[in-house]
Structure formats: structure tokens, C-alpha cells
């Protein structure tokens, strides 16, 4: 296992999802000789089974809901008719239209060598690739980035293996064969994926039941956020069962079928629910097996450990993206990719610890949920003192005329100061509105600076300014104002 004196490549990247693609791009941009290896489809989970198809489906579901709501605006339309094969055609077209951004051709043009095949680390500097087209190739590299992503969690529940369940990875293949929207649709898991898909399928006409073992949906968010999302899902016809645990599945058949039933235990005892389709949305775990990581001791007991610079036990082998966590977001994978590429190529000269201080996140239900920095739950857990300022979006002119007068902006600040500790927004376009706060926090701009910034009227973005205004009113200089009151009274000659 001696280190080679010469290397075939400066960098080998394993996995062509967001982390792998960005890592390879950066390496090529600084003129390193880089090889990117992917056994499956370019673009990884985000393009092929995650962000892109789910948001395409969500958009269709929102259009259907807008048709139902049109009468509120004086436009009378017939109830929407869901052409489900056409819906899935829109999903596939969305993927196809974005595919060129992540294609072999594009990255080859950027200077990246792309090999399609299965990579295996045979020693700390050597990667063997079983090529999809046949044959094998072996390459050495001075640095290696492992970006193999994550896979859905499938719990060991009795009977589950006989039920034709789907995950976020396999859902789209199953849907492609359906001629109509699923009827009785069961979603297990009340996180972001579960909530998004439950609302989307309900709006497309499915009878949806969402089961969450915790006491509330989106348990990592504050309780007021969970309450707002549950109200929205219930209004769209989703039956939400929190504090319910799945015990076992049955399909009354000796062979695999899509339909079945689940036995649940909840506060009121046990109950049984039937379903035609089952989606498991219980989170994702790192995909670290089968790449030689265990044999090298990089993965131990199913866990991969990295230092703050994304280096494994071998400093020249780094990892990025969902494989590493702790945030399994596409934008975090891209963020980590810069550190992995720079530390892999230049780490012996200068290395950089990953900045996790500002990681925005969003849940694309309606109303949307977006947050950055601390929420109240996290601040309490960490013992960080804070003040809360709220602005209700139901008071916002643009939200009122758009029929979107629901939600809030909640800002956590240091006591007595305008320093922003965290922001949560629930409302239309929350994932867009949060960007202003991310920028402000990144550059240490407080609420006073936000308040002094002109926002176009009427826009949803004014909600951010009005939240800052509420903070200002709550921290008005009372002594100065009393003096000014006396001054103006004197000026009136009274």
C-alpha cells in the first residue's frame, strides 16, 4: 500500500451528483487533471429522483389548486381534470430539459474526463472502474473525493417486503406506468419529502393519509411552523396522523402487490389503514457500501467520519455531499464541493474548514417554509438567549391582493440588539424571501440596515422590511421620544 511516486490524475471524483459535479468543475477550472466516475445517471438524485421531479409535480399540483381557487378572484372554471400520464410527461420533460446542464458532454467540454462505470478503491491512491460499456480501467490520483450520496431508509417492519412500497428514489418509475392518479395514497414520514408529496398528491386527487411517529410534522422546525403546515395539509384533504407508529404491513396475498394495509399504534390504540400505494419518506442514510471504503477503514459500522476539512482518515481522500451530511441539501452538497476540491488539490499548502454557520433550508409545501440560522427550538436547546420579532403576512398588501395572506416572518435577535440570529418564514415564496436574510447574516447586517433598504411596493419582500420595522418599534428609544415630545410642544408655544 505504498504511495505511488507518480499519479495518473490530480483528482478522481466518485459520484456525479451535485457534490461530485461541482468538485470536478472546480478542479478543471484550476487546470487540474480530473476524472469523474458515475455508474448511474449523471446529475445524481437531485436531477433524476429528487429536487427536479418533485418540484415539477408540485407545480402541477399547485396549478390544479389554483383552478379550484379561481372563483375567489371572480374567474369561474370547471373542476380540473387530471391527465396523469400528461402530468408525468411534464415531470420527464423537466428532467430532460435540465439534463444537458449535468451531461457527460458538458463536463467533457469543461475539461473533465467522465467515465461511466462502478468505482472501487483498491488502495488509498488507486481506483478501479468497472466500465458500464465493458472492461475495466485502473487509475491513481493524488487526491480522491467520494461523493456517492445517500439512499432512502427502509425500516425492518413485518410484512413490508410483501407490499409494493416506493421511496423517493423509486416513486417516479412507478408513477410512469400509472394511467391515473393513485387513489388511496399512504405516506409514511412527516418530514419535508413526506409533507411535500402528501400535499401534491392530495391536490391531484388522491385520498392521502400522512403518518408521522413524532408528535408533530417537521419536528426539526418550531411548533408554530408545524401547526401551519398541518393546517395547510388538512385544508387540502390530507388526513394527518401524528404520534402514530407503523407496526406491520399486510397485503392478504402470497405475492408482492402494490395495495395492502398497515397496522398503526396511536394515542387512541391500534387501527388499520388500507392503501393502494405506499411511499416511505423516513429520511436518507449515507450510501457508503460497495466502493472499497469499508476495506480501507474509511467507513466503520456504516458511518463515515470526516474532519472539519472533509478529510477522511487518509487526508488525501475526502468526502462531500449527502454521504457526509449533516445537511442533506443539494445546495449544501455544492457548498461542500468547493472545500473538498480546494482541500484535495491544495490542502498541503492551505486548507479551509467548511463553514456551516448559515445553511438555509426550505420545505416546498404551500405555504412554503424557509429558515436560516437558529430557530427557537434550537436556541433553547443550546441555551442561547434571544428575542423574537414577528410580522404576520396576513397584513401584507401584496399577499392580500394575491390571495396569499397567510404565514409569518419570525426573526430571532440577540437581546437588545439588531443582530440576526435566525429567521423562519412561512408564506408564499418563502424560499425566495429568505435569501435577503441569508445575505444580511452573511455580511453581518442587522435589522436596522434591512429597515433602511428600499423595497418595491407592493411585493412579498416587504414582509422582511416590516419585520425589521416591528423590531425597531419594540426597541424605540423611549427617553429620547419623551424629550422630543416636550421639544415639539415647546415649538408649538404650549
Amino acid at each position: 500500500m505504498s504511495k505511488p511516486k507518480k499519479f495518473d490524475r490530480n483528482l478522481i471524483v466518485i459520484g456525479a451528483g451535485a457534490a461530485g459535479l461541482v468538485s470536478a468543475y472546480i478542479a478543471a477550472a484550476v487546470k487540474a487533471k480530473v476524472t469523474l466516475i458515475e455508474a448511474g445517471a449523471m446529475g445524481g438524485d437531485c436531477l433524476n429522483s429528487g429536487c427536479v421531479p418533485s418540484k415539477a409535480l408540485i407545480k402541477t399540483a399547485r396549478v390544479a389548486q389554483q383552478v379550484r381557487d379561481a372563483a375567489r378572484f371572480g374567474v369561474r372554471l370547471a373542476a380540473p381534470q387530471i391527465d396523469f400520464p400528461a402530468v408525468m410527461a411534464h415531470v420527464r420533460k423537466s428532467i430532460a430539459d435540465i439534463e444537458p446542464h449535468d451531461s457527460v458532454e458538458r463536463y467533457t467540454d469543461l475539461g473533465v474526463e467522465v467515465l461511466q462505470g462502478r468505482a472501487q478503491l483498491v488502495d488509498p491512491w488507486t481506483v478501479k472502474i468497472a466500465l458500464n460499456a465493458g472492461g475495466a480501467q485502473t487509475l491513481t490520483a493524488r487526491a480522491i473525493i467520494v461523493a456517492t450520496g445517500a439512499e432512502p431508509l427502509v425500516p425492518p417492519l413485518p410484512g413490508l417486503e410483501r407490499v409494493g412500497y416506493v421511496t423517493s428514489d423509486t416513486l417516479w418509475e412507478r408513477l410512469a406506468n400509472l394511467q391515473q392518479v393513485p387513489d388511496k395514497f399512504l405516506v409514511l414520514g412527516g418530514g419535508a419529502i413526506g409533507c411535500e408529496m402528501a400535499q401534491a398528491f392530495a391536490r391531484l386527487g388522491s385520498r392521502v393519509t400522512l403518518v408521522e411517529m413524532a408528535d408533530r410534522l417537521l419536528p426539526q422546525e418550531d411548533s408554530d411552523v408545524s401547526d401551519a403546515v398541518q393546517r395547510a395539509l388538512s385544508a387540502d384533504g390530507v388526513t394527518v396522523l401524528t404520534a402514530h407508529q407503523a407496526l406491520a404491513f399486510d397485503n392478504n396475498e402470497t405475492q408482492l402487490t402494490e395495495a395492502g394495509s398497515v397496522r398503526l399504534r396511536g394515542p387512541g390504540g391500534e387501527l388499520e389503514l388500507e392503501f393502494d400505494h405506499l411511499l416511505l419518506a423516513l429520511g436518507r442514510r449515507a450510501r457508503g457500501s460497495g466502493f472499497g471504503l469499508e476495506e480501507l477503514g474509511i467507513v466503520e459500522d456504516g458511518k463515515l467520519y470526516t474532519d472539519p476539512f472533509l478529510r477522511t482518515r487518509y487526508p488525501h481522500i475526502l468526502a462531500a455531499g449527502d454521504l457526509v451530511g449533516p445537511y442533506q441539501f443539494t445546495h449544501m452538497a455544492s457548498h461542500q464541493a468547493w472545500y473538498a476540491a480546494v482541500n484535495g488539490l491544495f490542502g498541503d499548502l492551505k486548507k479551509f474548514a467548511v463553514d456551516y454557520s448559515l445553511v438555509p433550508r426550505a420545505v416546498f409545501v404551500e405555504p412554503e417554509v424557509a429558515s436560516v440560522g437558529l430557530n427557537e427550538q434550537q436556541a433553547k436547546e443550546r441555551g442561547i438567549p434571544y428575542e423574537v420579532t414577528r410580522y404576520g403576512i396576513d397584513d401584507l398588501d401584496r399577499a392580500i391582493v394575491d390571495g396569499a395572506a397567510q404565514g409569518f416572518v419570525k426573526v430571532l435577535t440577540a437581546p437588545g440588539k439588531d443582530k440576526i440570529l435566525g429567521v423562519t418564514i412561512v408564506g408564499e415564496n418563502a424560499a425566495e424571501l429568505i435569501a435577503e436574510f441569508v445575505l444580511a447574516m452573511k455580511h453581518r447586517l442587522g435589522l436596522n440596515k434591512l429597515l433602511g433598504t428600499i423595497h418595491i411596493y407592493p411585493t412579498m419582500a416587504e414582509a422582511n422590511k416590516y419585520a425589521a420595522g416591528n423590531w425597531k418599534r419594540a426597541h424605540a428609544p423611549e427617553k429620547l421620544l419623551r424629550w422630543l415630545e416636550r421639544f415639539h410642544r415647546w415649538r408649538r408655544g404650549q
Side-chain angles (χ1 to χ4, degrees):
M1 201 185 292
S2 60
K3 182 178 179 180
K5 294 182 179 180
K6 294 193 298 184
F7 300 92
D8 300 315
R9 304 289 184 269
N10 296 102
L11 180 66
I12 290 176
V13 181
I14 302 173
L21 290 170
V22 175
S23 296
Y25 170 79
I26 292 170
V30 296
K31 303 306 178 182
K33 192 171 185 180
V34 55
T35 295
L36 174 65
I37 305 166
E38 174 58 60
M42 295 285 287
D45 296 331
C46 180
L47 173 62
N48 298 288
S49 60
C51 312
V52 172
S54 65
K55 302 313 170 283
L57 187 78
I58 288 169
K59 174 61 178 180
T60 299
R62 286 188 177 180
V63 171
Q65 191 63 32
Q66 287 167 356
V67 171
R68 297 186 188 98
D69 293 341
R72 288 197 299 147
F73 301 91
V75 180
R76 303 200 176 278
L77 300 171
Q81 301 296 310
I82 306 301
D83 181 348
F84 198 66
V87 171
M88 293 310 300
H90 164 66
V91 171
R92 290 191 297 272
K93 185 177 185 302
S94 298
I95 295 172
D97 287 349
I98 296 174
E99 274 178 341
H101 302 170
D102 300 342
S103 65
V104 172
E105 293 77 14
R106 178 175 184 238
Y107 276 79
T108 300
D109 289 344
L110 291 170
V112 177
E113 178 190 40
V114 181
L115 297 179
Q116 295 184 286
R118 180 79 176 183
Q120 180 89 12
L121 282 160
V122 296
D123 68 42
W125 296 274
T126 308
V127 178
K128 184 176 182 180
I129 307 104
L131 298 170
N132 291 352
Q137 186 172 349
T138 301
L139 295 171
T140 59
R142 188 176 183 87
I144 298 168
I145 295 175
V146 185
T148 52
E151 57 194 7
L153 286 170
V154 178
L157 291 172
L160 184 58
E161 71 282 354
R162 293 195 294 112
V163 177
Y165 68 85
V166 293
T167 65
S168 57
D169 282 1
T170 60
L171 171 66
W172 311 103
E173 181 180 354
R174 178 73 59 81
L175 295 179
N177 300 319
L178 297 182
Q179 294 302 305
Q180 58 187 17
V181 67
D183 182 16
K184 289 180 287 187
F185 194 75
L186 174 63
V187 179
L188 207 60
I193 295 174
C195 289
E196 289 176 0
M197 291 296 96
Q199 185 180 54
F201 277 98
R203 289 178 161 191
L204 290 172
S206 296
R207 291 181 288 170
V208 180
T209 301
L210 174 59
V211 177
E212 167 56 47
M213 187 165 62
D215 291 336
R216 56 189 177 87
L217 302 177
L218 302 174
Q220 293 183 337
E221 304 294 340
D222 287 338
S223 59
D224 52 359
V225 175
S226 301
D227 292 344
V229 172
Q230 181 160 341
R231 286 194 301 271
L233 266 59
S234 297
D236 284 330
V238 178
T239 299
V240 179
L241 299 176
T242 54
H244 279 73
Q245 181 181 3
L247 302 176
F249 292 85
D250 189 15
N251 64 3
N252 297 318
E253 300 284 347
T254 58
Q255 59 190 22
L256 180 68
T257 59
E258 293 180 355
S261 63
V262 61
R263 183 158 49 89
L264 304 171
R265 179 189 295 130
E270 292 189 6
L271 70 154
E272 188 166 327
L273 291 176
E274 294 183 348
F275 57 84
D276 295 327
H277 292 81
L278 167 64
L279 170 63
L280 299 181
L282 299 169
R284 298 173 68 83
R285 63 183 178 189
R287 187 186 289 119
S289 298
F291 302 97
L293 303 179
E294 299 99 334
E295 290 79 357
L296 293 178
I298 293 173
V299 170
E300 298 179 6
D301 299 325
K303 296 183 179 180
L304 181 145
Y305 298 96
T306 60
D307 67 9
F309 309 99
L310 299 177
R311 301 179 302 180
T312 67
R313 61 174 295 189
Y314 298 97
H316 69 284
I317 301 178
L318 303 95
D322 287 0
L323 175 67
V324 178
Y327 306 99
Q328 292 184 337
F329 308 138
T330 296
H331 48 281
M332 173 49 64
S334 300
H335 178 69
Q336 287 181 329
W338 183 91
Y339 293 90
V342 171
N343 289 338
L345 293 170
F346 307 108
D348 51 347
L349 303 174
K350 173 71 174 176
K351 58 185 182 292
F352 300 86
V354 183
D355 179 7
Y356 292 111
S357 60
L358 289 175
V359 184
R361 62 184 183 271
V363 184
F364 293 91
V365 290
E366 191 173 16
E368 286 181 356
V369 175
S371 56
V372 64
L374 294 174
N375 59 26
E376 288 192 80
Q377 182 173 271
Q378 293 166 333
K380 290 174 182 176
E381 290 172 353
R382 301 176 193 179
I384 298 174
Y386 66 92
E387 292 181 357
V388 175
T389 300
R390 295 177 68 99
Y391 172 74
I393 292 177
D394 59 340
D395 187 57
L396 184 66
D397 291 1
R398 179 58 185 267
I400 291 169
V401 300
D402 282 357
Q406 56 180 326
F408 54 85
V409 178
K410 179 168 64 171
V411 184
L412 272 62
T413 51
K417 300 179 180 180
D418 74 336
K419 178 183 177 182
I420 305 169
L421 302 177
V423 182
T424 298
I425 303 177
V426 176
E428 187 165 289
N429 297 327
E432 313 290 340
L433 299 181
I434 200 73
E436 184 173 25
F437 285 108
V438 178
L439 182 69
M441 294 175 70
K442 175 70 175 178
H443 296 284
R444 296 181 174 86
L445 303 177
L447 291 179
N448 280 314
K449 295 291 187 182
L450 201 75
L451 182 60
T453 301
I454 298 174
H455 292 64
I456 294 173
Y457 176 88
T459 60
M460 294 295 293
E462 286 185 294
N464 297 345
K465 181 173 183 175
Y466 292 149
N470 284 352
W471 178 89
K472 190 70 174 179
R473 279 190 293 275
H475 294 81
E478 295 299 332
K479 289 184 180 179
L480 175 61
L481 291 175
R482 286 195 295 271
W483 183 89
L484 287 173
E485 185 179 17
R486 292 195 300 271
F487 171 76
H488 289 303
R489 188 166 58 246
W490 171 77
R491 296 269 286 183
R492 294 195 305 270
Q494 296 177 357

